[in-house]
Amino acid sequence: MQIQDLPYPDPGVPDARSGPRFLWWLFRNQLGGQLKSLAWGMLHFLSVSALPFCVGVAVQAVVDHSGRRLALAGGLLLLCCVGNALGDTFLHRTAVTNWITAAARVQQLLAHKASNLGSALTRRVAAGEVVAVSTGDVEKIGWFVEAWSRFTAAAVTVVVVCVGLVFYQPALGTVVAVGLPVLALAVLPLLPRATRRADVQREKAGRATELASDTVAGLRVLRGIGGEELFLDRYRSASQEVRHAAVRSARMWSLISAIQVLLPGLLLIAVVWYGVHLARQGRVEIGELVAVYSSVMILTYPLRHFEEIAMAYSFSRPSATRAARVLSLERATSAEGSRDTREVPSGDLYDPATGLLAPSGRLTAVVCGDPDAAGLLAERLGGHPSEEGASVLLGGVPLDELPLDSARTAVLVQDKDPVLLSGSLRELLDVPASGHVNAEEALAAAQCEDVLAALVQGSLGVEDPLDARVTERGRSLSGGQRQRLALARSLLADPEVLVLDEPTSAVDSHTEARIAEGVRELRAGRTTVVFTSSPLLLDRADRVVLVHEGEVTAVGVHRELVHKEPRYRAVVTRETDGESALNEPSAPAEQDVLHELEEIEESA
């Protein structure tokens, strides 16, 4: 796989049982690139390591006044330089390719997992952790995959040079062959402590990222309640903890680096001292001493890759563990489904767990006293249950037996906090749609006239509202304006079944009344389920269902239920428990609600 071939047609099925297993799976899937990098790496390192032998031959040729051997040494030096240039160039190319393709594979896997799990992902893993895995952790994982082949090439080169030195000059070669493994293994006792400190640093950095992400997401609310400084102080404290942990980790890695500078220096001193002693005895020629000394000097270069692979593994292992934890999450139902069909079913939507029935072609409103329960039920109706259980049926067909794309085509769920991506309004509304509803109709039904005007006013030189820019998450818009744009996008998709979770909670009552009428007219003949406690929406529904403690307890129309069902009335009129106990079916609160509905209808 080359960079220009990305993205992968199929990134594969990862081994997400643990961080090390995930790294090993990545390595196996990058085997072709790893072998290329290993081959170029060995050419590079062996060419560099052969230079001292060439220099030794040249020095000895000068001492012996041998022009033929001097010319031979010059030719060997030229050959080594060419091999070094080629090896270094293509090693860099293949190593960077391995890094980028490994990171891209992980990012594709994470994107597929996020698409598969939907909103259930952020309920099971903090949003900040998902961000950390998708950015910094991906880079660390790619670093280890890229460094592995270079480390292998360096290790092979060290072995080859040690063996070569033993045959070239047995006395000095033996000293080097014994000393180099000691250099390579000397830092091993320090690696566990360095790894633990790196883990602590990554853990604290992950918590700081989560805190920053949550703070930014809730900045409007924090400013509204005066809690901005409080959360900023918390982030400053978390940031200082990350700094202290990073300093502690850096101290350990600096100690390892110092040892890897000190020990080769001591080995050089030993080789020179022993070599001079052998030269005085006539057992070593000057050229051989220069070659062995230079070899020890040169070998400090491949030895640095032992430290790099240790650092790469220490930093990538916790990153891989976090990535594996996200990738190991599974849907409560299979994404492939058991029915080999692409046909979108139609008919009544029925949830056997609660007994909720949404008749085909009707507008059904659902009232839940618990907003969290309403959100979970809305996701169940869309085929995204967070827990295993009986599947929701659409036209008698279980949604979990359908392929995921067919189920999502059949049922579209808009949660209470929909996301608006940055871009033009035209791009925002560029969604898979039936084609029966155009953008103008959807925007009109969602009462987006003032939203369009605000977008045009905020975009210089734009005349067509569809070309106006929408900022990230629609931050330049009010909560109600964001809700209406999201509603228009859902209406434009025109699915067989549309599930809306509190679509007008941030909209004023007069606009809400017009939205209720617009949705009813535009969705005529289509199945629509609205989770709400707003009397304005409830009064426009063909059928109202009260779900209490996970079961359907009342079914009817709004004006009947508000008279006859105390629990329904308590939710809709926001009564307290004491007020609910005192109120009778003809209580003034009900009359006030009905009177308010009539006034809003007249004014709308």
Side-chain angles (χ1 to χ4, degrees):
M1 172 63 71
Q2 298 298 315
I3 296 175
Q4 61 265 26
D5 299 326
L6 293 174
Y8 286 95
D10 180 11
V13 180
D15 186 348
R17 289 176 290 176
S18 66
R21 287 178 182 271
F22 180 60
L23 289 174
W24 174 241
W25 177 85
L26 272 179
F27 174 79
R28 286 190 290 109
N29 280 272
Q30 303 273 137
L31 189 58
Q34 294 290 339
L35 292 177
K36 289 181 182 178
S37 184
L38 175 61
W40 289 114
M42 290 186 62
L43 176 61
H44 168 59
F45 288 121
L46 289 175
S47 296
V48 171
S49 300
L51 290 174
F53 292 94
C54 300
V55 172
V57 171
V59 170
Q60 192 61 42
V62 172
V63 172
D64 296 340
H65 304 286
S66 174
R68 186 178 62 83
R69 279 189 292 162
L70 184 61
L72 176 64
L76 291 176
L77 278 171
L78 178 61
L79 184 63
C80 288
C81 290
V82 172
N84 180 25
L86 288 174
D88 193 20
T89 299
F90 287 97
L91 171 62
H92 179 73
R93 284 176 60 91
T94 54
V96 171
T97 298
N98 288 337
W99 187 336
I100 294 177
T101 52
R105 187 187 295 272
V106 178
Q107 287 180 325
Q108 279 188 248
L109 290 170
L110 291 170
H112 289 177
K113 182 61 65 175
S115 175
N116 188 11
L117 292 176
S119 60
L121 175 63
T122 51
R123 286 206 309 271
R124 299 165 70 177
V125 180
E129 182 171 353
V130 177
V131 172
V133 171
S134 302
T135 52
D137 286 339
V138 167
E139 182 180 350
K140 299 293 188 301
I141 293 170
W143 177 27
F144 175 74
V145 174
E146 175 264 339
W148 179 256
S149 56
R150 286 190 290 110
F151 160 72
T152 306
V156 172
T157 299
V158 169
V159 173
V160 170
V161 171
C162 287
V163 173
L165 285 174
V166 170
F167 282 97
Y168 179 71
Q169 206 332 291
L172 288 176
T174 302
V175 174
V176 176
V178 172
L180 282 178
V182 174
L183 297 183
L185 301 177
V187 297
L188 284 182
L190 299 177
L191 289 181
R193 182 177 296 181
T195 301
R196 286 194 297 271
R197 292 190 179 186
D199 289 349
V200 171
Q201 177 194 352
R202 296 296 301 163
E203 181 182 354
K204 290 183 180 296
R207 284 203 297 265
T209 302
E210 293 175 22
L211 181 59
S213 175
D214 294 341
T215 302
V216 171
L219 196 56
R220 281 176 176 262
V221 177
L222 292 176
R223 285 175 174 170
I225 62 176
E228 184 179 4
E229 286 300 324
L230 174 63
F231 274 79
L232 286 176
D233 288 341
R234 291 182 182 177
Y235 180 74
R236 290 190 189 99
S237 176
S239 178
Q240 290 302 311
E241 290 182 8
V242 174
R243 184 178 67 83
H244 291 310
V247 170
R248 281 174 49 82
S249 178
R251 285 173 179 167
M252 185 55 63
W253 287 112
S254 63
L255 176 60
I256 292 174
S257 298
I259 290 174
Q260 291 199 324
V261 171
L262 174 64
L263 293 184
L266 295 177
L267 179 61
L268 276 174
I269 293 173
V271 168
V272 172
W273 179 83
Y274 186 52
V276 170
H277 176 70
L278 293 177
R280 286 177 176 175
Q281 296 178 354
R283 295 169 57 187
V284 174
E285 294 181 348
I286 299 301
E288 292 176 334
L289 178 59
V290 171
V292 175
Y293 169 79
S294 302
S295 295
V296 176
M297 286 283 294
I298 290 293
L299 282 178
T300 57
Y301 169 55
L303 281 176
R304 293 196 196 105
H305 291 78
F306 286 74
E307 177 191 358
E308 183 190 9
I309 195 65
M311 291 183 65
Y313 181 73
S314 298
F315 281 93
S316 66
R317 187 176 59 82
S319 296
T321 301
R322 277 192 292 273
R325 183 165 60 246
V326 174
L327 295 174
S328 65
L329 299 176
E330 297 292 341
R331 285 170 50 86
T333 58
S334 171
E336 289 77 16
S338 58
R339 290 180 180 249
D340 187 15
T341 178
R342 293 291 170 179
E343 295 182 2
V344 178
S346 61
D348 296 344
L349 186 68
Y350 177 68
D351 177 25
T354 59
L356 172 62
L357 174 66
S360 176
R362 307 284 294 279
L363 174 58
T364 302
V366 181
V367 176
C368 289
D370 183 0
D372 293 332
L376 293 175
L377 179 53
E379 291 183 354
R380 274 185 53 80
L381 294 180
H384 317 301
S386 57
E387 299 176 355
E388 294 186 0
S391 173
V392 171
L393 306 177
L394 178 59
V397 179
L399 288 181
D400 62 4
E401 293 185 5
L402 296 174
L404 183 59
D405 55 351
S406 296
R408 288 184 171 176
T409 300
V411 185
L412 173 63
V413 179
Q414 177 183 304
D415 60 26
K416 60 172 60 69
D417 187 22
V419 175
L420 302 179
L421 301 179
S422 59
S424 68
L425 182 56
R426 193 184 307 277
E427 293 170 339
L428 178 68
L429 298 178
D430 184 17
V431 295
S434 67
H436 299 304
V437 178
N438 58 45
E440 290 73 16
E441 292 173 333
L443 291 167
Q447 300 299 310
C448 292
E449 293 85 356
D450 63 316
V451 184
L452 299 180
L455 289 175
V456 171
Q457 185 178 4
S459 302
L460 297 177
V462 173
E463 296 181 0
D464 188 348
L466 293 179
D467 294 327
R469 300 290 299 178
V470 178
T471 58
E472 182 184 1
R473 299 185 66 90
R475 297 189 188 280
S476 62
L477 303 173
S478 67
Q481 289 174 328
R482 289 197 299 271
Q483 274 190 337
R484 282 179 281 163
L485 277 184
L487 176 59
R489 181 177 57 187
S490 300
L491 294 174
L492 179 62
D494 191 35
E496 182 68 27
V497 179
L498 177 59
V499 180
L500 303 172
D501 186 7
E502 294 289 354
T504 58
S505 58
V507 177
D508 65 84
S509 58
H510 293 282
T511 304
E512 188 176 29
R514 294 194 295 270
I515 290 174
E517 194 60 39
V519 171
R520 181 183 177 85
E521 291 178 1
L522 193 63
R523 292 287 300 173
R526 293 287 205 179
T527 307
T528 308
V529 181
V530 181
F531 285 81
T532 184
S533 59
S534 167
L536 295 169
L537 290 177
L538 295 170
D539 194 48
R540 297 302 197 285
D542 300 316
R543 194 166 184 266
V544 178
V545 179
L546 173 65
V547 177
H548 180 69
E549 295 183 354
E551 293 183 355
V552 172
T553 57
V555 179
V557 296
H558 170 65
R559 295 181 184 245
E560 292 178 358
L561 292 176
V562 80
H563 282 290
K564 299 178 180 179
E565 180 56 53
R567 284 178 295 194
Y568 178 84
R569 183 173 59 251
V571 175
V572 173
T573 62
R574 278 72 169 177
E575 290 180 349
T576 63
D577 294 338
E579 291 172 338
S580 180
L582 292 174
N583 282 335
E584 296 296 330
S586 60
E590 303 161 20
Q591 302 300 327
D592 291 342
V593 171
L594 296 176
H595 181 65
E596 181 183 354
L597 282 173
E598 293 171 356
E599 287 183 347
I600 293 175
E601 288 174 359
E602 292 175 359
S603 62

